[in-house]
Structure formats: C-alpha cells, structure tokens
Amino acid sequence: MSKVLVVTSGKGGVGKTTSTAALGAALAQAGENVVVVDFDVGLRNLDLVMGAERRVVFDMINVIQGDAKLAQALIRDKRIDNLSLLPASQTRDKDALTPEGVAKIVDQLREKFDWVICDSPAGIETGAIMAMRHADMAVVVTNPEVSSVRDSDRIIGMLDSKTLKAENGGRIDKHLLLTRYDPGRAARGEMLKVEDVLDILSIPLLGIVPESVDVLNASNVGSPVTLNSPSSGAAKAYFDAARRLRGEDVEVIVPIERKGLMGRLFGRRVA
Amino acid sequence: MNLLAWFRGERSAPVARERLQVLLAHERMASGHSELLNVLREEILAVIAKHIKVDREKVNIKLERGGDVATLEIDVEMPDALAVTAGRRGKAAA
Ligand SMILES: Nc1ncnc2c1ncn2[C@@H]1O[C@H](COP(=O)(O)OP(=O)(O)O)[C@@H](O)[C@H]1O
Ligand SMILES: [Mg+2]
C-alpha cells in the first residue's frame, strides 16, 4: 500500500525542503519507490536541493491544466533510479493549484510509487492545506525555538482538522522531526531541550537532525545529504528516521557536543 | 552569553518552555472553541428548523470567556407570528 507523507511546519526556513530531499533519498536508498513533490508554488526549491533544476521541463500545474502528462513532468533522479521529483510551478498563479487537480495527481502518484512525499510551503494558508490534504502521515519539522514550536502546534491542529483523513473521522499519523539541533546550546540551557519540545507538542519523535555543515554542503552541490555524505551525523539521523517511517523500531539518538573539554570551556567563554 | 547569569543558573530555555506552555494552552482552547462553536451552531439550527422556520442569519451564537466563567449566548430572532404563539406557551425566552 502506498503512503502519502506531508513534510510540514508552519514556519519557513526550518528544514522542510532539506528533510523532504533527505528522507525521500533515504527511503529510495532502502529500496522503496519514491516520488518527492514540491507544493511550494512560486518558490520552488526542491529541484535545486535535489540537483535537478536544469532538468525541469513541465511542472505540476502543467499537468493539472492538461498541458503535459504526469509522466512528462516527473524527473527521475540520476543517482538512484527509484527516486523521482515532481516540480512545482515557478511563475504561475497559485490558484492554478486546484483541489480537484491535486486530488487527481496524488491518486495517480499513489498508483506508481510506494511513497509520495509532499514538501509543504510555509504558512497555514491554502498552499499548506493543499500539501497536507491527502496525507496519511505527516512529518512535522520543528526547530527547538519558540516561534517554530508555536507554529508546529498550529500545524498539528490543522492536520487533525483539515486533512481528508481527519474529515472522514480518521487520525493522521504525525511524527516530530527536530532539526537544526545544536547540542552545545542545548547543554548550556540556551535552547529548548528535546524533552521540552516533545512534552509541549506531544507527538512521537521521528528523529533529531543536528545543525551541520554537511547539510549546507549537500544543498550547495544539489544532492540530498544522505547521498552526499552518508556517514555524517545529519545523514544518519535521516537514515534512522526513514527506517522508523518504514515501521522499524529504532532508538532515537540525541546528538551530543563532540568538542573536548578545552573546546567546550573555550566555546563557553567566547559565546 | 552572560557568564554571570550562567553561574547563577539562569538559562533562557526554561523561560521559553514556560512561555510556550502558557501561550499554547490559550491558543488550543481558542481553536477548540471555534470548532465547538461551529458544531453547536449547526446542531442548534437543526433543532430550531424542526419546529420553526427561521433565517440562518437571524441565529446568533456566541461563546464568551470571562475570568472564571464562560457563557454561551444564543440569540434567535423569531418571526412575529410565532413569537406570539410561543409567548402564550410561556416559552419565548430561551
Ligand atoms: N540540519 C541543518 N544544518 C544546517 N543547515 C540546515 C539544516 N537544515 C536546514 N538547513 C538550512 O536551512 C535553510 C532552510 O532550509 P529549508 O530546507 O529550505 O527550509 P524550509 O523548506 O522549511 O523553508 C537552508 O539554507 C538549509 O540548507
Ligand atoms: Mg521549503
């Protein structure tokens, strides 16, 4: 049975697109047939993070408006052939993304892929609702910081009321992905602790992705971090998260500061 | 960060946690209320519609939160003729 997964957050810049690419690639690396779908109309970025920006010919709105077939718009990844991308439109009017059009595309994608991963735009408006509408599961991407946690709380409320599954009396499967986590700051009491965020949002934890230069390097070269530096801490967190999404029982590891004692003392002094 | 504050054990994260807990408790209540209100409105309208023909626009439902009590206010503007009949039965005020 295919799964539709939305990667959402409310707040922008928390790591939705990065996580969509990394989780999509990690699931594909595990042998699943995956499509990542960019719902950020006008601000598409997933193509760039995936390194496919020069291969975009048609986008989702072309398909909805009947100007292209779905198969023509799908871009197959050059590195893993069971990973595809459906790009968002860059220029067109947001209203072109109709509920009926989206429903039809998601249905078609369900038939072709094991996983349909929808990268949500920021905000709590139509675009975000479109992205979550057909989801069976949600990854709520949150940074350990007040405004991100607050926005995640609102998004969780919307997942429980505005999705088709919720409207039909079902319950959408929600998972918390804590990203841009800085172990040093957490240890110094400058950043919300993992337990605090879990306590406040009360949805199960999918993983903790450390703030890492490997993520930036990966997006610089247009490759998901799980492909570009598979042995990095960030990639490991995404690999583990992907295994949990597949139903495996994997212990969550809280990243710790890797500096020595001197480094830590020094870090504290200059901070 | 301020070293002195650090040694005194003043961290900002616990403050963040507390502020969030208070704020979100309020926001969840507010959104819960708006959903409850929609359900109430529809069900109250359905009950009224069984007996009286009233205009949807003439039914006003408000949920107000004071300090310790919350009140549910239902304001139904009845058609003239019916108000008289209902009044005779002593049921005009809801
Ligand atoms: N774990 C991380 N470590 C370092 N930088 C990150 C991490 N996750 C995301 N970023 C960076 O944060 C920025 C916003 O990420 P992005 O995935 O585009 O967020 P969103 O899609 O939620 O707006 C990007 O520059 C990205 O490279
Ligand atoms: Mg994005």
Side-chain angles (χ1 to χ4, degrees), chain A residues 146 149-150 153 188-192 196 199-200 268 271, chain B residues 1 6 11-13 16-17 20-21 23-24 27-28 35:
Chain A
V146 284
V149 173
R150 180 208 206 165
D153 194 71
R188 292 193 295 272
E190 298 162 7
M191 204 179 64
L192 283 167
D196 290 346
D199 205 38
I200 292 168
R268 219 173 259 163
Chain B
M1 79 178 268
W6 160 259
R11 319 287 154 77
S12 61
R17 179 200 159 98
L20 272 171
Q21 279 172 328
L23 173 70
L24 295 183
E27 288 185 346
R28 285 173 193 160
E35 266 155 49

Side-chain angles (χ1 to χ4, degrees), chain A residues 122-133:
Chain A
I124 51 168
E125 311 298 324
T126 328
I129 297 175
M130 288 283 188
M132 71 169 63
R133 188 77 184 140

Side-chain angles (χ1 to χ4, degrees), chain A residues 3 110 132-137 159-173:
Chain A
K3 295 247 183 211
R110 268 187 200 272
M132 71 169 63
R133 188 77 184 140
H134 302 274
D136 307 302
M137 324 168 74
L159 287 165
D160 287 333
S161 61
K162 304 246 187 280
T163 52
L164 267 181
K165 204 161 181 192
E167 281 178 8
N168 294 331
R171 221 173 161 68
I172 184 160
D173 210 4

